[in-house]
Every structure is written in structure tokens, then in C-alpha cells.
Amino acid sequence: PELDDRTPLAVQQARSEEKNQSAFAMESATRLAESSPKGAELRAERIQHNVGRTVARLVVDKKKELYAFWEDHDPQRKGFILRKEWEDGMSVIIGDDIPWRAVG
């Protein structure tokens, strides 16, 4: 192994510059890829995946409240509700800032 005779500050500055150049190159490549039709499609898929994960987490967090809401709308206890009742439950319990009709 060859010894580096630069000062610690010079080594730190060189590493920082390498990181900045690498980050810039990655960012440029990402922008170029995302500007293509395939890149836009991949970006849309990534967003859809992230939204799906977020919705799933919200449903799990509010599962008891959702079941209670839907049980109130199933007086015969058949285990089935209308789609509108599902949407209403999601809006009331989780929030109406998500387009539940599109999600469901």
C-alpha cells in the first residue's frame, strides 16, 4: 500500500469533491433517464408503488376503526358492504385527501 502524503484536510477535501462529482453525475443520469418516455413510466410506477405502501400502512394503522365503521353499515352481519360504504369508511376514518374511488 502506498502512503498518502497529503494533509488530513486535503484528503477530506478531495473526498468531498469526489462525492459531489459522483452525486452530480448520478443526478444528471437520473434526470436524463426520467426525461425519456420509459423514465416517465418508471417514475409513475415508483410513485404508484409508494402511494400503495402508504395506503396499506394507513389501513393497517386504522384497521379496528375501519372494521367498526363497516360493521355499523352491515346490520344483517353478512360480512358485505357496498362500495360506497367502503369509500365512506375510508374517507371518514383515514381521511378524504386520498381518492378512495380510484384506490378501491
Side-chain angles (χ1 to χ4, degrees), residues 2 4-5 17 19 35 42 44 53 64 66-68 72-73 93 100:
E2 193 175 304
D4 191 348
D5 60 349
E17 181 62 29
K19 286 180 186 178
S35 66
L42 291 172
R53 287 180 56 151
K64 288 181 183 180
L66 286 166
Y67 283 156
D72 290 344
H73 290 83
I93 303 299
W100 295 112

Side-chain angles (χ1 to χ4, degrees), residues 7-21:
T7 66
L9 179 60
V11 171
Q12 184 180 20
Q13 288 173 340
R15 287 181 182 161
S16 178
E17 181 62 29
E18 289 171 8
K19 286 180 186 178
N20 287 340
Q21 289 175 356

Side-chain angles (χ1 to χ4, degrees), residues 22-96:
S22 177
F24 178 76
M26 288 179 64
E27 186 176 320
S28 296
T30 301
R31 283 186 186 155
L32 181 62
E34 288 182 345
S35 66
S36 71
K38 182 67 174 171
E41 182 180 318
L42 291 172
R43 187 173 64 248
E45 288 175 9
R46 190 170 50 245
I47 291 169
Q48 185 177 10
H49 176 75
N50 289 340
V51 168
R53 287 180 56 151
T54 301
V55 168
R57 184 177 38 85
L58 291 169
V59 169
V60 169
D61 289 348
K62 299 290 186 174
K63 182 170 60 174
K64 288 181 183 180
E65 294 93 336
L66 286 166
Y67 283 156
F69 181 93
W70 293 325
E71 284 176 353
D72 290 344
H73 290 83
D74 182 20
Q76 285 85 28
R77 301 282 187 242
K78 292 183 180 183
F80 294 95
I81 57 171
L82 299 174
R83 182 181 180 115
K84 175 73 171 120
E85 294 166 335
W86 177 84
E87 291 172 10
D88 289 346
M90 299 300 275
S91 291
V92 169
I93 303 299
I94 295 179
D96 60 358

